[in-house]
């Protein structure tokens, strides 16, 4: 699965960056069936840029990104299903967002935690 770390991180980074940008230019508060708002757009934009930077740095950074990103998206998923449409008063989600967040969280966690472990430097 470690061969998917960089492609997945790159894909998430690019897609989230584009979705974050697009969210500022759509009429209303929907992109396809997904709810967006300015805070949601900024979160997508920043998390996408961080993903792209992680890929440029190394596979280890990309794997770390997927792990952290997966945990955060898992929490957002749980809160989204539990609280309905409002994530802690920060941004709004709908059922489609929740299911997409769940899939992204699971895939990110599986790929991130299955990344090949690098041997410790120094051999200690």
């Amino acid at each position: 699965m470690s061969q998917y770390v960089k492609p997945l991180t790159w894909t998430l980074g690019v897609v989230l960056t584009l979705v974050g940008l697009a969210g500022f230019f759509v009429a209303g508060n929907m992109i396809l069936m997904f709810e967006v708002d300015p805070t949601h757009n900024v979160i997508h934009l920043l998390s996408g840029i961080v993903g792209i930077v992680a890929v440029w740095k190394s596979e280890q950074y990309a794997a770390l990104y997927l792990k952290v990103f997966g945990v955060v998206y898992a929490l957002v998923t749980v809160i989204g299903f539990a609280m309905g449409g409002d994530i802690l008063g920060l941004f709004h989600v709908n059922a489609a967002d929740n299911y997409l967040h769940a899939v992204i969280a699971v895939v990110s966690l599986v790929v991130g935690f299955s990344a090949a472990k690098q041997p410790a430097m120094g051999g200690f």
Side-chain angles (χ1 to χ4, degrees):
M1 280 273 191
S2 67
Q3 73 266 24
Y4 299 114
V5 169
K6 289 183 94 172
L8 176 60
T9 305
W10 177 254
T11 301
L12 287 171
V14 169
V15 169
L16 287 168
T17 299
L18 292 174
V19 168
L21 289 171
F24 290 110
F25 298 102
V26 297
N29 62 345
M30 300 290 282
I31 294 179
L32 301 174
M33 65 184 128
F34 303 102
E35 193 164 344
V36 295
D37 59 43
T39 304
H40 213 156
N41 298 334
V42 169
I43 291 168
H44 285 147
L45 189 57
L46 292 175
S47 59
I49 291 168
V50 170
I52 292 168
V53 170
V55 168
W56 282 343
K57 289 284 192 180
S58 70
E59 185 171 336
Q60 290 79 20
Y61 279 111
L64 177 61
Y65 171 84
L66 291 176
K67 293 172 190 175
V68 172
F69 187 74
V71 168
V72 169
Y73 262 55
L75 290 171
V76 168
T77 300
V78 170
I79 293 168
F81 279 122
M83 296 185 79
D86 191 14
I87 302 292
L88 304 175
L90 298 174
F91 58 91
H92 300 284
V93 295
N94 59 21
D97 289 313
N98 290 333
Y99 288 111
L100 179 61
H101 291 156
V103 169
I104 291 171
V106 169
V107 171
S108 295
L109 290 169
V110 167
V111 173
F113 280 102
S114 68
K117 302 280 190 240
Q118 297 297 321
M121 295 183 72
F124 296 143

